[in-house]
Amino acid sequence: MLKQINGLHHVTSLASAAQENNDFFTRVLGLRRVKKTVNFDAPEVYHLYYGDETGSPGSVMTYFPFPGAKRGRPGAGEVGTTIFSVPEGALPWWRERLATRQVSGLKDDVVFGESRLYFEGPDGDGFALAEVPGDARAPWLAGGVDADHAIRGFRGAHIRLSDGSATEELLRFMNYEERERADGIVRLGVAGGNGADLIELETIRGASHAWQGAGSVHHVAFSVDDRARQLEVRKALADTGYSVTPVIDRDYFWAIYFRSPGGVLFEVATNEPGFDRDEDTAHLGQALRLPSQHAHLREVLEEKYLEPIRD
Ligand code: ZN
């Protein structure tokens, strides 16, 4: 079994409008935009990153906003809900804040004893805030959200599958252990993890497969400390029969990707070098950063494709 994985590193989703996406995560949820760059494989599209002050692994929600993209259709084989951690007692304040800002899908629930407020992102994205006592991660304080309420980072992800058993086996191999199980949902966590270390697997037999579009999670990335550990994980997954990509340089982390048995694209990303690699912490996310292979495209990208984002 692997011991290198700490929990989530980032979650990457699709959106239909960069400005709206930016406003929701910075002004409504109070996260910090920690990087404004482009999709390395399609540089005419932004890649926006939101998280805590430095974009700590386990706090980073990222988006590819394809202008005018059609909404996805929820179903099996995807991350259905991305769950953020907030302090105990914070949910009534959030309910009021989100309702005031016309956020859709507000619903209170208790899951395995944990109070949650479900809500939707601008493209119908499935999110929840969960009250987690004693989450010691430092919050980013902005957008009128104070320390008693601010998001600490991810709590984890809720994955819907038509059969969760093979993915459960994979996650156990990846350092997750069972915490609870009820009503077709198994809850797994990493002992001594990074706080963003919860995965819920829900089996919905006979569910139709999700169709990916705006509001859908594109992939979920797991965190390892460094490149050496990433190579150990890569070898172990390949030895187990998974088809894993070579290590890819994403400028702010190194990434490997593979398809999990239930259909969700998994990534394993390094905590090094981090988002302050090419700009100082005080100015993270402000300027458009281009990877070196696309630097020569700056003029055309800024003039023709990337609509400026107003902060
Ligand atoms: Zn990724």
Side-chain angles (χ1 to χ4, degrees):
M1 200 183 88
L2 295 166
K3 288 287 178 197
Q4 298 87 341
I5 289 169
N6 310 306
L8 294 181
H9 184 285
H10 62 270
V11 176
T12 294
S13 292
L14 306 174
S16 62
Q19 183 70 56
E20 183 185 38
N21 183 260
N22 180 79
D23 291 350
F24 186 80
F25 286 92
T26 60
R27 291 169 189 265
V28 179
L29 295 188
L31 299 180
R32 183 181 199 193
R33 193 179 70 227
V34 292
K35 195 61 63 181
K36 181 166 69 175
T37 182
V38 293
N39 182 328
F40 287 16
D41 304 315
E44 67 281 6
V45 174
Y46 276 121
H47 194 179
L48 303 175
Y49 291 75
Y50 311 98
D52 65 9
E53 182 180 19
T54 58
S56 305
S59 79
V60 184
M61 187 74 218
T62 99
Y63 273 88
F64 299 130
F66 288 87
K70 207 176 151 201
R71 269 197 189 189
R73 187 190 65 216
E78 67 172 355
V79 173
T81 309
T82 302
I83 308 156
F84 293 103
S85 166
V86 296
E88 231 174 344
L91 289 187
W93 183 90
W94 276 106
R95 191 181 307 108
E96 168 85 26
R97 178 179 174 90
L98 299 183
T100 306
R101 288 162 174 75
Q102 279 82 46
V103 172
S104 318
L106 294 181
K107 182 175 156 267
D108 295 296
D109 204 353
V110 177
V111 180
F112 295 113
E114 180 177 279
S115 295
R116 287 196 186 163
L117 174 62
Y118 287 83
F119 63 100
E120 291 179 0
D123 292 297
D125 329 43
F127 287 117
L129 298 169
E131 289 190 356
V132 182
D135 188 335
R137 291 178 288 172
W140 172 248
L141 301 176
V145 185
D146 64 21
D148 290 338
H149 305 102
I151 288 172
R152 267 41 182 180
F154 293 124
R155 166 73 160 141
H158 183 103
I159 298 176
R160 290 186 295 240
L161 301 168
S162 51
D163 181 352
S165 51
T167 302
E168 180 180 336
E169 193 183 326
L170 168 63
L171 285 165
R172 287 173 181 273
F173 181 67
M174 289 169 63
N175 208 18
Y176 282 78
E177 56 190 36
E178 182 176 334
R179 296 279 162 79
E180 286 166 286
R181 184 185 295 268
D183 305 324
I185 302 172
V186 59
R187 188 180 227 220
L188 303 147
V190 177
N194 65 2
D197 46 24
L198 183 83
I199 297 281
E200 289 168 0
L201 290 180
E202 179 176 13
T203 293
I204 310 174
R205 303 227 177 261
S208 58
H209 207 269
W211 184 85
Q212 210 167 66
S216 306
V217 171
H218 182 266
H219 65 267
V220 61
F222 296 88
S223 143
V224 291
D225 289 340
D226 54 36
R227 299 186 74 187
R229 287 178 176 83
Q230 183 181 51
L231 288 176
E232 292 166 9
V233 171
R234 188 179 183 283
K235 179 174 190 317
L237 289 167
D239 288 349
T240 312
Y242 284 96
S243 176
V244 188
T245 66
V247 175
I248 301 171
D249 183 356
R250 294 304 191 194
D251 276 9
Y252 311 105
F253 48 87
W254 281 272
I256 56 175
Y257 303 86
F258 64 104
R259 188 69 63 179
S260 67
V264 180
L265 183 60
F266 280 7
E267 174 184 343
V268 176
T270 58
N271 292 355
E272 56 175 1
F275 293 98
D276 58 359
R277 177 183 172 273
D278 59 356
E279 49 190 353
D280 63 81
T281 303
H283 299 98
L284 280 185
Q286 292 175 9
L288 176 66
R289 310 300 309 193
L290 294 176
S292 54
Q293 65 270 33
H294 298 319
H296 66 287
L297 298 173
R298 178 176 288 275
E299 204 169 315
V300 67
L301 292 176
E302 289 189 314
E303 276 177 19
K304 286 186 67 176
Y305 295 103
L306 303 172
E307 206 172 303
I309 296 171
R310 298 178 307 277
D311 289 315

